[in-house]
């Protein structure tokens, strides 16, 4: 649970970020980090369409530049867009100006008003400046689909165990996760529908 759901102190560090939405609404918010890439994005989009579901894609600018057709498909199919920096930069490893410039470079391609920091980390200065322009979206549940220690069934179990009203659920549009998502994504979507959850995107 320590890994799947954020601790109180982490939420305290970034109080204006979205961590969980309306606790009283039977709805969840699906998000996908790191894409788009040809190895995983087409399957994710196909599966979402099959379940009549929309999601928010937090995209890496360099991937958008490499695969503009996938970016256009995400837009055309009605999904929400999010900025995940241009080079998937870790906020604690770079000067504030370097990090902010990288975010803006990505946004020249993405045009998003939503931002999620790679790995969930920012410095206080980065957070201070970014929240003036972006709604920062974190998570209530990380499925850990990227983990080599977890099976696809484990990823589904994380969804079943930790999802609650208003959960922001994080999957990954990446090479590390796609082998698990072939099973885990449709299985998770099926379960969410069976439990009566509405699948929403951020305004």
């Amino acid at each position: 649970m320590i890994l799947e759901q954020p601790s109180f102190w982490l939420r305290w560090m970034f109080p204006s970020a979205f961590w969980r939405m309306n606790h009283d609404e039977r709805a969840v918010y699906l998000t996908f980090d790191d894409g788009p890439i040809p190895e995983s994005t087409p399957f994710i989009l196909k599966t979402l369409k099959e379940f009549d579901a929309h999601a928010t894609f937090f995209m890496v600018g360099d991937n958008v530049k490499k695969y503009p057709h996938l970016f256009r498909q995400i837009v055309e199919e009605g999904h929400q867009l999010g900025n995940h920096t241009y080079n998937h930069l870790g906020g604690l490893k770079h000067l504030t100006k370097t990090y902010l410039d990288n975010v803006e470079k990505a946004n020249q391609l993405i045009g998003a008003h939503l931002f999620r920091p790679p790995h969930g980390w920012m410095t206080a200065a980065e957070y201070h400046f970014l929240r003036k322009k972006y709604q920062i979206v974190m998570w209530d549940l990380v499925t850990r689909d990227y983990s080599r220690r977890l099976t696809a069934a484990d990823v589904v179990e994380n969804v079943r165990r930790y999802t609650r009203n208003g959960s922001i659920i994080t999957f990954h549009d990446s090479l590390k996760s796609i082998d698990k998502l072939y099973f885990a994504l449709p299985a998770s979507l099926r379960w969410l529908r069976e439990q009566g959850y509405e699948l929403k995107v951020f305004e």
Side-chain angles (χ1 to χ4, degrees):
M1 184 172 181
I2 293 174
L3 294 175
E4 286 80 8
Q5 292 186 303
S7 63
F8 172 80
W9 67 266
L10 188 58
R11 295 193 302 269
W12 175 82
M13 287 178 63
F14 309 123
S16 70
F18 287 162
W19 292 94
R20 182 184 175 193
M21 304 304 281
N22 190 340
H23 298 195
D24 298 320
E25 185 177 20
R26 192 71 170 171
V28 297
Y29 295 72
L30 300 179
T31 66
F32 292 87
D33 288 3
D34 300 347
I37 58 171
E39 293 85 354
S40 59
T41 309
F43 171 78
I44 292 170
L45 291 173
K46 175 177 175 288
T47 305
L48 290 172
K49 183 178 289 187
E50 288 172 354
F51 284 86
D52 192 25
H54 288 91
T56 302
F57 284 78
F58 288 94
M59 292 176 283
V60 173
D62 189 45
N63 286 339
V64 172
K65 183 178 180 180
K66 290 176 181 175
Y67 310 111
H69 63 291
L70 293 176
F71 175 76
R72 288 194 299 270
Q73 186 178 355
I74 289 169
V75 173
E76 289 167 359
E77 295 187 7
H79 300 287
Q80 183 60 277
L81 311 179
N83 186 328
H84 203 47
T85 76
Y86 191 86
N87 298 107
H88 202 263
L89 294 190
L92 303 185
K93 298 179 180 180
H94 299 274
L95 296 174
T96 298
K97 185 179 186 306
T98 301
Y99 191 77
L100 297 177
D101 287 349
N102 198 265
V103 172
E104 287 310 296
K105 183 178 180 181
N107 220 45
Q108 290 175 13
L109 296 170
I110 300 168
H113 67 283
L114 304 173
F115 175 75
R116 173 177 284 165
H119 313 295
W121 290 102
M122 298 170 284
T123 65
E126 290 160 357
Y127 170 69
H128 171 76
F129 286 108
L130 287 168
R131 71 190 181 108
K132 293 179 178 180
K133 180 173 181 178
Y134 299 93
Q135 174 58 60
I136 297 171
V137 179
M138 302 299 262
W139 65 89
D140 182 55
L141 163 60
V142 175
T143 62
R144 297 183 65 212
D145 52 357
Y146 55 82
S147 175
R148 294 181 179 178
R149 298 183 179 182
L150 270 61
T151 66
D154 292 331
V155 173
V156 178
E157 181 57 28
N158 280 340
V159 173
R160 294 168 63 99
R161 183 175 183 182
Y162 296 111
T163 295
R164 51 189 176 172
N165 287 358
S167 282
I168 300 171
I169 303 174
T170 298
F171 292 96
H172 290 80
D173 183 1
S174 71
L175 293 173
K176 291 182 179 180
S177 62
I178 186 58
D179 287 347
K180 299 182 189 70
L181 289 186
Y182 286 132
F183 171 80
L185 183 57
S188 296
L189 288 167
R190 190 174 300 111
W191 181 83
L192 289 167
R193 290 296 195 197
E194 290 171 354
Q195 300 304 306
Y197 284 106
E198 181 182 0
L199 306 178
K200 302 186 73 172
V201 296
F202 304 97
E203 297 296 329

